[in-house]
Structures are given as structure tokens and as C-alpha cells.
Amino acid sequence: MNEDCKTIREELALTGGEAESESAREHVFSCSDCTRFAEALGKVEFELKALSGHDVSDEVVAKLLARKELGVNPRRTRWRVPAAALATAASVVLAVSLLLNRGHESFEREGDELDYREPNKNEESPPPRLEPEDEDRFDAAAGVSPPSPPSAGVFAPEDKRQDLSKEKLAQLEGELQEEKKDSLLDAGRFAARRPIPTGHRDPVYPDAARSARVQGTVILEVTVDRQGNVTDARVVESIPLLDQAAVEAVREWKYEPLETDAPRVFRVPVTFQLPSPDGEGLSLLEERAQVDGLRFVEPRGYWANTYLPGDPMRRRLERRPERTMGAIPALHETARPASLPFDPSSTSALSLFVHADRSGITSKSRLLVQVGIRASDHHGRRRPPMNVGVVLHLPENVSLSDASAVTSLVQSLASSREAGDRFRVITTGAGAKEIPPEEFSYGPLSVRLREWLEEPASSSPSLFEALASTLARVHAGDDPAMPLGTSVVLVVSGRSLDSELDRLLHMVQESAVGGVSVSAVGFGPASGEASLEKLALSGQGRRYDLGRAEDAPGVVDRELTSASRAVARALRLRIQLAEGVRLVGVLGSEPLSARAAARVRAEERSIDLRLSRNLGIEADRGRDEDGIQIVIPTFYAGDAHSILLDVVADGPGPIAEVTARYKDLVQLDNTVARANLSLPRSETAPGPLEATVAKDYLGFRVSEALRAAAESLDQGDPARSIRCLEAVRSLLARVGPSDSDLRRDVALLDGYLEWVPRFSAPRERDYLVSSLLYASSLKRLSPTTAS
Amino acid sequence: VKGDAPDGEALASASETKQWLERAIGALPLPQREVLTLAAIESLPLAEVASILGIPVNTVKTYLRRARLRLVSSYERRTKVTT
């Protein structure tokens, strides 16, 4: 190792793998030892980021607390963040800053009883779940806790809350408890009887969140002292833009004095819900004209990716009307995304567009900036040989139709086999059985599959071990000369994965970074949609639902061609706003926490290095850039996607500069596309191009309204659900009665407005909720994926 | 690879990486471990790490550099053994 290598490795070690100078980067990619070093570092770094918050070492916590002389008993050394806290980084960092900000006084007062893991150790432990006899007492607290108060707005005002009859609340709670037993929220909500609130302040809805239309529930862990004052509020489930407002509000809440000296610690959900989109119809136009009194967000850092290929819920919904809901039409089927008039490039994989909803401005104006990406239609490549492992996670008793669907899936795989393909199937459970590639042909498969499906599976097989072993084998057979995406593991599950989901997610994430993606196929009544979706997302794979045997060939075809349908990888969008242009929000997206951003970068770098090794596309990543950065791992042929930015420009002139840097899998090269937007001084009325930006925005609002309607209906509030739908409907009717896309949306909304009020039975209601959610997601899909 | 028994070594590798890493972090000298935890796991800015620990930023950098170099070399030794 020469001096250069040493210096460069030290530099990489300092930054965690991001070489700062151009020469260092060049060196890393020309020196094979340093490349290996960078890969190992990337791997270690990825693992580090994956360590969860409770791995903060005792020493650091003890030292941190000691240094700040907070007077906390050092006995409280293990700093555990509840496993439920998804945004672990945010919560730990936030906890640190809360500790630091709060100063000495309150801590001294609380002394060593701060240990919130066991706040009640001197009194009898509270019931783990709400027992029937506790209902009365719980009622009183319910005014604070319903995840969604029945009236619009952030929180129901005091007087309205009192209007709610006790029965109604009990009923609401009962329903929620029954329907959402598994939800995180409830686990916290029913965990302990909480003190009775005597005063509370509504949170102030942050403007940034309002304009980005970020809403949801922040869960706080609140410490209340003997006098009933809130002495601490920590975020356990975070929504970055809303956390602070929630904490600020809750800190001013009051509770009845406690019966004991020990402080009480419990969880409080704080729900932020925007008023139904455009209650008055006109408000959209007013909102769009508003340029003052807005809060702006920094137009830099990493933001969440909003391009999601595939249509996970589709199959499930498509088959539901036949099976369960004869009467209700499949309204969701008429939902279409707003058309995006982007022409594909004939020479490169992606083309990039920037448009605004105005053709010119004369003064300070609020604008919608649309960043559009269009993939070329033709990938024109034969599908490469695929290396596929299928893990069958069968339920104890497989119904006849599920058995035939699973059989059909494996046999479709066998009949799609081409030269060079390596397919294998393995089952979970004790004595896991495997069909290796050399025996993967129709005859042996039929016999073995029938055996597997007929003999009852063991009662609680672990997916983890079978998946780990399959991943290892697929990794071993992963030919580094093949394009990324040709090695895939398909988890076919008819069981719930909840019990081992965390370790599964960690493993598939690691695997995806190492080049083997994991896709998920659910079948049967027990497969959990949400956990399969998480698995596929973490595994950078796709998500399918296997409803019937006829679905199987389609799933196999899409999975086998996914590698060849990808036209661009590691797409990094950078959006820089010109001087005098301020950002109100990126619609549907949000700034990523430091940890999430670090993960995005780790994934990006892994794709970068792999493609550099396999296809000779020079590695060029690892630097943060100025501006808004959005990383999309894979972009598929024929897809189009748009990102809408809500901005205020001081006047005419340059507005935004967009760069898309990606691995072009058509040209096998690093490609950079650039596009600029500048608005002239003019009062010309918006033309057709500008109208499509506005329509894109309206489509976004329709999607939001459908989702809000689904959530309200799910929470047992059809009236509110109807209000959401009516509001956006009246808006559309006002804005563009003559446009055919908008007319279709109006018809869609009318359909739901007709059917939602008719049903209150759980089965029909569930169906409508799924249908609304699906229609909402269809509105946001890439137009080509949806067709 | 043939045969029905799951490949023990490979099976172990996925779940053991995390355990290995935890052990490896545990084996670091205390100052390095602290810096690594705050800077690399919790992604705090270096200046903040320095102020929390009450040490100069340059010292933070040195510890962080050493910690990562040790982890990488330990990682490389480990992969050599398993493969």
C-alpha cells in the first residue's frame, strides 16, 4: 500500500466512504485494493446505519448525562428507545437535544425517578390492556386520544368534544380496538390507564407541513409529574415536519394531580389532519394566489422518493368484487393518473422536463414547478439469464385454490425457463426441502410440489432461515458479469410475517445492497399486505398478489423481465431553485432524516459500485450536492413520473435548474440530463402545457382526497369521508368542467359519493376503504404502469 | 450447491453480520466507540459530537477515522475466514 492509498483510505474512513476530491475518487476506482476497501467500508457503513437506536452504548449515555450534570442516577444506563419507534435516529437525536435544552432545574426536581422504563414500580403495575371495568375511567381521557376527532381541523375544539356522548366515544373506542388490534398506535394507547387531562392546547399546524400537505399522527411519550404538569415529551413515532409542533403543544397540557409521587409516563397520539381538501372549492385558487405569510423550507438535502413502480394492491382488489361484493361496482377501475405529456428520448434512457403552471409572471407569484421524467419505451434487450430463488412460506392448511395458484406460479417459472436461467425452490419449516436448479423441470416439480402442498406444514416455521439460506445460494450463483437485477429471491408467503419482520427487513436490505433483490408475493387470507410491501421495498424488489392460478404467469413474466425493463438505475435528481425562489414544499414528499438520507446514499453507492464492476459504467457517486436531492433506485421502461414543487418566485427570471444523473442501461454509461425553467415577464394566459401542470396538481389533490376519505371511513366516520369527496368534487367541477380527464375524476367521485353512504356493515365498508385507497394510489401511478 | 440441508455457514452469515458488528464495536477503545456511535450511527454532525464529548473536532476526526479503519480491517479479515 503506497502513501496515496493510505491517505485516501483515511479520508474515506473519516467521511464514511465519500471521497471529497476528484483525484481521490479517481484513485479509488482505478486502484483495485482501494475499491475493495471502499466496498468493505460501504458494507460496514450500511450495517452501522442499520443498527437501531437502542444500540447507543451505555458509556455514551452515561457520559453524556454526566457531562451535562443533569443529576440523573447513573443506574439508568441502558438507553432504550422502544422498538416501535420507526424513526429511531430522529428519536434518539431528539431525545438528546431535549435533554440538553431542558436545563438542570426540572431534572434535579425529578431526581433519579426519571427512569421511565419503570415509572410505577412503587405502585401496582397498570393493566397491560384496557379491561372492561376500566372503560369509564378511560372515557375521560378519550377526548385527548382519538386518532381522529370527528370534526374537521387539527383537533376538535373543546366544546365540540364535550358534545360527544359517552356512548359514542365508547363505541368509537370499541370499534377501533376491535379493528386495529395490531396497530402500533393502539398498543400504546391501551397500554396503561393515563391520568385525566384537565387542560390542553391544540398544536399549531406548521405552515411547511400544511403546504406540503403532510399529515398524520405523531406519537409522543409524555412524562407527567405529581402536580399534573407535563415535564417531558419525547417523540416515539416521528413525522419530521410535525414533531416539533406536537411537542410544543403537549408540553403545555395539564393533567389532574397524580395520586402517587412517582411521575407517570405514557404515550399520547397527536393527530394532524388538514381540513378536507378545499372545503370551499374556491380556496384552491385563493391558496395558489397567496404569496405572503407562508413558511418556507430549505430547498436542499435529501427528500423522499415518490416514484414507486408496480401496483401492489391491484390484484387483490380486482378479485374482491367477485368474491365478496357483488353489488358494489369496481369504481377504482376507472381511476386514471393525470396524463403526463412527456415525450421519450430516442437516444437516451430518460428525458427530463421542467414546466410551470404559468407561462409568464410580472410580480411575486406562487408557482407550481413540475419536474417530469420519462423513460424510453424500448429497452430492446432480450431478457438476460435470471438467477431466481423462490421461498415458499406455506400456511398450515393450504386451500385448494391457493394450492393451485402456488403450483401455477412455480410451473410458470419452469415453462418460462430459458438457456442460462437458474431457478430453485425451497420451503420453510423444519427439514426445509429444496428443488435445486438441475431438477427444476416440469415433471419433478409437479410431483414434489404436490407432496409439499398436501402434507401439513409445521405449525410455526421461520421464514428467516429458509430465506437466509436461499439468499446465500442465489448470491453464490450471482454472476458479477450479469446486469444488476438478474439475481432475485421471490418470497411467496401465505402467512403473516409480523413476528420476524424486523430481522427479515434487515436481511433483505443487506441482500439488496449486495445485488440480490427480494420481491414478495402474497396469497391466501393470512398474508399480511403491509409486511409484504415493506419486505419488497426494503429488498428493492416488487410486490405482487397471487389471487388465482391465472395471475401466476403474469407475476412470473413481470418478475423475469424486470431486470431488462429497467432502463436507468441510481437516478439522482437535483433540483436547484434560482435566487429569489423559495420552496413551500415538494408535494407528496418530505425531507429525509439524517439516518434515512444515509441509507439512501448507501444504496446509491452500492448500485454505483456494482454497475462499475459489471458493466464498466464508471462509478461516480458518493457526493452530496446542493439543492433538493431525490434518489430513485430503478426506473423502468415506458414509465413517466412527475414531481411537483410549490414555490414562490420574487419575479420573472430563472426559476429552477434540474439535473438528472443516472446509470443509463441502454447506453451503458453515466448520463446527465439537464433542464432549466425560466419565466419571462408576461401576462400571457397559461397555455396547454401549463394546463397539464395544473391538472397534474389536481390529480394529486384528488388522490389525497380519496385517501382522506378512505381513512375517515375506516375510522367509522362516513360523514367526514363524504365531505372530503364532495369538497374535491366541487373544486374539479369549478376548475375544468370541459376537460375529459377531470370529467372522469368527477364521475369517479360521484360513484363513491353514491356508494359510501349506503353501507355501514364492516365487510362492505372494508371493501370501499380498500377501493378508495386503491383508486388513490392509481391516481399517483405512472400513467404507463397504470394502463 | 446441491443437497437438501440448508447451508449452515451461509445461513449464519446474514444474521451474524450484525452480531459481529456489535462485537467489533464493543472491541473498540472507548473514545473511538463513543465517537463512532454518535457520528456514524446517529449521524450527528462532527461539531456536535465534539461538543457533547467535550473534545476538539480534530480529535473527533482522528477517533472516527481510526474506528472505521479498524472495523473495515476486521471486516476484511472476517470475510477472508468465511470464504
Side-chain angles (χ1 to χ4, degrees), chain A residues 9-10 13-16 36-37 40-41 43-45 47-49 51 53 55-57 59-60 63-64 67-68 88-89 92-93 96 100 424 432 434 436 438-439 448 464-465 468-469 472-473 506-507 510 594-595 598, chain B residues 1-7 10-15 17-18 20-22 25 30 33-44 46 48 51-55 60-62 64-66 68-69 71-73 75-76:
Chain A
R9 288 180 198 185
E10 283 183 346
L14 180 60
T15 58
R36 251 201 309 280
F37 175 86
L41 179 63
K43 186 87 179 147
V44 167
E45 197 63 10
E47 291 296 331
L48 282 174
K49 298 297 178 211
L51 286 181
D55 293 316
V56 176
S57 75
E59 292 82 0
V60 172
K63 192 160 178 181
L64 177 61
R67 274 187 189 280
K68 294 298 161 189
T88 43
V92 172
V93 172
V96 171
L100 298 184
R424 59 174 75 240
E434 188 190 9
E438 44 278 25
E439 291 167 31
R448 303 280 295 270
F464 185 81
E465 290 177 6
S469 123
R473 288 171 193 206
H506 181 76
M507 182 166 65
E510 187 177 289
R595 181 186 291 260
Chain B
V1 188
K2 196 171 155 57
D4 282 355
D7 174 346
L11 185 153
S13 83
S15 58
T17 307
K18 191 174 168 213
W20 161 78
L21 186 66
E22 280 173 350
I25 293 175
L30 179 62
R33 202 183 324 159
E34 286 172 350
V35 168
L36 187 82
T37 306
L38 293 175
I41 303 182
E42 298 305 334
S43 305
L44 290 179
L46 297 188
E48 213 165 300
S51 84
I52 288 174
L53 298 176
I55 53 177
V60 169
K61 287 185 181 172
T62 310
L64 185 59
R65 205 182 287 130
R66 284 187 196 152
R68 281 213 183 92
L69 286 173
L71 288 184
V72 170
S73 64
Y75 176 82
E76 282 175 335

Side-chain angles (χ1 to χ4, degrees), chain A residues 543-595:
Chain A
R543 160 87 177 89
Y544 308 94
D545 196 74
L546 194 58
R548 301 168 298 200
E550 300 90 89
D551 296 338
V555 170
V556 167
D557 182 58
R558 290 185 56 185
E559 194 56 21
L560 290 181
T561 55
S562 62
S564 56
R565 278 188 302 116
V567 292
R569 301 226 41 175
L571 165 60
R572 167 183 273 266
L573 273 179
R574 176 168 69 140
I575 306 168
Q576 281 175 298
L577 298 183
E579 206 175 320
V581 179
R582 279 158 302 164
L583 179 68
V584 181
V586 180
L587 273 67
S589 178
E590 58 186 14
L592 295 179
S593 68
R595 181 186 291 260

Side-chain angles (χ1 to χ4, degrees), chain A residues 699-721:
Chain A
F700 176 83
R701 299 296 283 261
V702 171
S703 169
E704 292 274 286
L706 289 167
R707 207 186 53 208
E711 282 164 7
S712 306
L713 192 59
D714 191 34
Q715 288 161 3
D717 191 352
R720 184 174 155 70
S721 177

Side-chain angles (χ1 to χ4, degrees), chain A residues 757-776:
Chain A
R758 289 201 202 174
F759 293 101
S760 56
R763 246 163 49 112
E764 278 89 3
R765 202 179 60 192
D766 280 356
Y767 174 79
L768 282 166
V769 168
S770 324
S771 173
L772 282 163
L773 281 176
Y774 178 56
S776 166

